[in-house]
Amino acid sequence: MDKKNAKDDRTDLVVQVRGLRFLRGRKVIFEDVDLDIRRGQVTAIMGPSGTGKTTLLRLLGGQLRPDAGTIVVDGEEVPRLSTKQLYRLRQRMGMLFQSGALFTDLDVFENVAFPLREHTDLPESIIRDLVLIKLQAVGLRGAASMMPAELSGGMARRVALARAIALDPMMIMYDEPFTGQDPISKGVIVQLVRLLNDALGMTSIVVSHDVSETAAIADYVYLISEGRVVGQGAPETLRRDASPWVEQFLNALPDGPVPFHYPAPDYLEDLLAGAGGG
Amino acid sequence: MGWIRFLGRIGLRFFERLGRGHLFLVQLLAALPSLLPRPGLVIRELYSAGVRSMLIVVVSGLFVGMVLGLQGYNTLSKFGAAESLGVLVALSLVRELGPVVTALLFAGRAGTSLTAEIGLMKATEQLSSMEMMAVDPIRRIMAPRFLAGFIAMPLLAAIFSAVGVLGGYFVGVGLLGVDSGVFWSQMQANVALHADVINGVIKSAVFGLVAAWIAVFEGYDAVPTSEGVSRATTRTVVNTALAVLALDFVLTALMYGVS
């Protein structure tokens, strides 16, 4: 029975990361990180800016290679895949970049049609229908003929979301989807992430430092700081976590384990050192 | 000892980039067959790199031809050989000025545009997003631009030379009174198809390959910031100019001998 449960657990995992170590030069970005992303769930990866959350997505997508550890996505060990195998895996993954990363020389329709044209031989009439369905899902069917430069930040991100789901991926990764959005756009994207995940039966990984928005839609949260997982669990469980780091991050406290002041010499000594010269 | 380390660092960086550039060229060449079923991608870039460079090439060719006509006439008439003006203008343009000046103009007009476009695509994560959509940017973005540059350059150089000859004709025949029949017949008799025209085409094709390769590589290798893209654009012009001038000497030595 235990064996069967363990096997079910493994097939239930879309992403399994074990002992991840990643360096940039001599700087340690990740050290011994373990992560499990369950199928069908919205998993949030949260942490302060500069902790390597985007780097983690790039590692999952195979754009970066880890220095040690294993990264298994949908049963395939990403760092060991050939370019061809990696590209085949990526056809089952979608990614929403922080900037949207829309192709500026293509209009909204062509941006969403891009992956369909590249990976399928569908007739033009079906591509048109699929693009309009995806744009309708993000509420921007009426903006199909607009150029990316004419879109607001929130609209651009929704178009990028429509493009990311164009091939009906099994998993989608969101890189800071709420950053720089006005409250309405933020609310729309929050709703879309959850809605699309459930309606399309996807698995979502949301990298963010927006606590309330992310916690509202996440089934499971990983908190990362200084290259390690410092907390994990369902959002309500994490809120009860006694760890000072988790408390500081979730409650947006200015001081705590992450100090308000950047390391500096003693304040009084620093001031007096300047006074001696006068 | 500090300066030795400094020189070593510069040398290493130079050879590292050179190696990266050559690996990139291999990737570009390997990606070319994937363009066969999609000629539209190349045609679009041909319009951007070729047709849009026409104006500057035509105007420059006209002026260069006119200057050649003036200078050539003044020098040749001292030796009583003004009737050879057509040959001088044609040979100067077809053998040297056509390929070289067109390559320099191409680097300034189309090369910088290619570098800036690709560099900005990198800076705005468009290339990354393409990779994550399982689309290889080298096949989809770089290779069509590279091939279009390679095809456009010899055509532009031919247009430059043709317009330059017309410019020389206007000045020599129209303003300075050289006989029209002599101008054309001397040219016809003394400009050889293989030794002059074909060699000129080979030169412009080589310059096209180098100019397009440098432009695309500099964009792809740019630091993804506004300063990085600006530096890459400058490097495109400088490196292309140096490479074209150095290659021009090598090709001229190979084609016409140094003895």
Side-chain angles (χ1 to χ4, degrees):
Chain A
M1 187 69 184
D2 282 340
K3 259 187 184 174
K4 185 177 179 293
N5 280 343
K7 196 185 169 196
D8 284 351
D9 264 12
R10 275 201 305 277
T11 49
D12 199 31
L13 295 178
V14 176
V15 177
Q16 193 174 34
V17 177
R18 289 290 175 270
L20 173 67
R21 179 178 161 83
F22 181 73
L23 308 172
R24 244 187 229 291
R26 287 181 188 171
K27 193 181 173 199
V28 178
I29 307 294
F30 294 116
E31 182 70 69
D32 200 23
V33 167
D34 293 347
L35 290 173
D36 287 331
I37 311 284
R38 289 186 184 284
R39 203 175 292 276
Q41 289 196 342
V42 175
T43 303
I45 295 167
M46 298 166 78
S49 303
T51 45
K53 302 187 295 296
T54 303
T55 305
L56 183 62
L57 292 188
R58 289 187 186 274
L59 284 160
L60 296 183
Q63 287 188 306
L64 296 172
R65 288 173 106 77
D67 291 286
T70 57
I71 299 171
V72 178
V73 176
D74 204 27
E76 301 192 66
E77 198 174 333
V78 176
R80 288 173 182 246
L81 295 178
S82 66
T83 309
K84 208 172 178 179
Q85 291 168 320
L86 186 61
Y87 273 33
R88 212 173 299 139
L89 174 66
R90 282 180 186 162
Q91 287 186 37
R92 309 203 297 275
M93 299 161 84
M95 180 154 172
L96 181 74
F97 284 80
Q98 192 173 347
S99 59
L102 295 177
F103 303 128
T104 45
D105 57 334
L106 302 179
D107 64 16
V108 165
F109 182 95
E110 285 303 324
N111 262 285
V112 181
F114 185 85
L116 295 166
R117 292 196 198 287
E118 291 293 322
H119 295 301
T120 69
D121 293 321
L122 293 171
E124 190 55 37
S125 59
I126 296 191
I127 288 186
R128 183 178 178 276
D129 289 349
L130 285 173
V131 171
L132 294 182
I133 289 168
K134 303 300 174 188
L135 284 173
Q136 175 75 6
V138 298
L140 289 176
R141 189 168 45 84
S145 60
M146 288 169 82
M147 293 302 286
E150 298 173 276
L151 304 174
S152 68
M155 287 167 84
R157 227 164 278 189
R158 281 152 69 189
V159 173
L161 182 51
R163 188 178 65 179
I165 58 168
L167 290 171
D168 292 329
M170 54 101 193
M171 177 179 101
I172 185 161
M173 300 187 283
Y174 298 88
D175 186 8
E176 301 284 5
F178 316 120
T179 304
Q181 301 294 309
D182 64 69
I184 298 173
S185 301
K186 205 182 271 188
V188 168
I189 293 171
V190 167
Q191 290 299 317
L192 277 174
V193 172
R194 186 75 244 183
L195 198 72
L196 289 174
N197 186 79
D198 297 343
L200 302 178
M202 295 190 302
T203 303
S204 303
I205 304 174
V206 182
V207 150
S208 178
H209 50 229
D210 292 291
V211 177
S212 56
E213 289 81 5
T214 312
I217 52 165
D219 298 304
Y220 201 83
V221 178
Y222 283 97
L223 289 178
I224 293 183
S225 177
E226 293 174 350
R228 290 175 184 278
V229 175
V230 293
Q232 60 177 293
E236 61 276 15
T237 316
L238 267 182
R239 288 200 185 280
R240 292 195 297 270
D241 193 313
S243 146
W245 196 95
V246 175
E247 193 190 345
Q248 185 191 3
F249 185 77
L250 293 184
N251 297 313
L253 302 176
D255 211 352
V258 179
F260 172 73
H261 290 288
Y262 193 77
D266 182 75
Y267 186 36
L268 192 60
E269 274 177 25
D270 222 359
L271 289 175
L272 290 173
Chain B
M1 290 304 280
W3 64 272
I4 295 179
R5 200 177 298 145
F6 176 71
L7 284 178
R9 209 166 35 231
I10 288 180
L12 280 176
R13 207 176 298 154
F14 173 76
F15 285 111
E16 189 201 345
R17 272 204 103 224
L18 202 64
R20 234 176 21 241
H22 280 86
L23 284 175
F24 181 75
L25 180 63
V26 171
Q27 286 177 294
L28 278 179
L29 295 174
L32 291 182
S34 68
L35 296 174
L36 280 174
R38 306 180 73 178
L41 289 177
V42 183
I43 291 169
R44 212 178 74 165
E45 297 310 323
L46 258 176
Y47 176 77
S48 176
V51 177
R52 287 189 171 167
S53 302
M54 283 269 286
L55 184 65
I56 188 171
V57 165
V58 167
V59 173
S60 307
L62 188 69
F63 282 119
V64 168
M66 287 162 73
V67 170
L68 273 177
L70 271 177
Q71 293 279 18
Y73 181 82
N74 285 334
T75 308
L76 291 174
S77 57
K78 283 183 193 163
F79 304 102
E83 68 273 14
S84 299
L85 183 64
V87 184
L88 181 135
V89 169
L91 285 183
S92 309
L93 284 164
V94 170
R95 281 183 171 198
E96 285 300 327
L97 292 173
V100 172
V101 177
T102 308
L104 298 179
L105 291 171
F106 182 82
R109 165 62 186 80
T112 49
S113 153
L114 282 175
T115 304
E117 184 190 14
I118 295 169
L120 282 170
M121 286 183 86
K122 188 179 179 185
T124 51
E125 295 183 310
Q126 292 180 50
L127 298 184
S128 280
S129 74
M130 209 171 268
E131 280 180 1
M132 285 307 296
M133 280 187 265
V135 177
D136 183 1
I138 292 187
R139 287 178 177 215
R140 182 62 175 72
I141 301 291
M142 316 298 157
R145 284 159 174 78
F146 168 72
L147 184 60
F150 176 62
I151 296 171
M153 241 304 290
L155 297 174
L156 289 171
I159 291 168
F160 183 96
S161 297
V163 175
V165 167
L166 287 179
Y169 176 84
F170 291 144
V171 169
V173 176
L175 294 179
L176 303 171
V178 176
D179 182 72
S180 172
V182 171
F183 184 90
W184 292 118
S185 62
Q186 284 278 328
M187 195 187 297
Q188 191 182 10
N190 292 297
V191 177
L193 177 69
H194 183 267
D196 301 318
V197 179
I198 303 280
N199 278 344
V201 172
I202 292 171
K203 270 189 181 183
S204 55
V206 171
F207 297 162
L209 184 139
V210 170
W213 168 35
I214 291 176
V216 173
F217 173 68
E218 289 296 351
Y220 189 66
D221 201 50
V223 177
T225 59
S226 39
E227 194 198 357
V229 175
S230 138
R231 280 172 184 247
T233 312
T234 307
R235 274 202 306 270
T236 291
V237 177
V238 174
N239 293 349
T240 307
L242 292 176
V244 162
L245 295 172
L247 273 173
D248 186 41
F249 172 74
V250 174
L251 289 173
T252 307
L254 287 174
M255 288 167 175
Y256 305 106
V258 283
S259 58

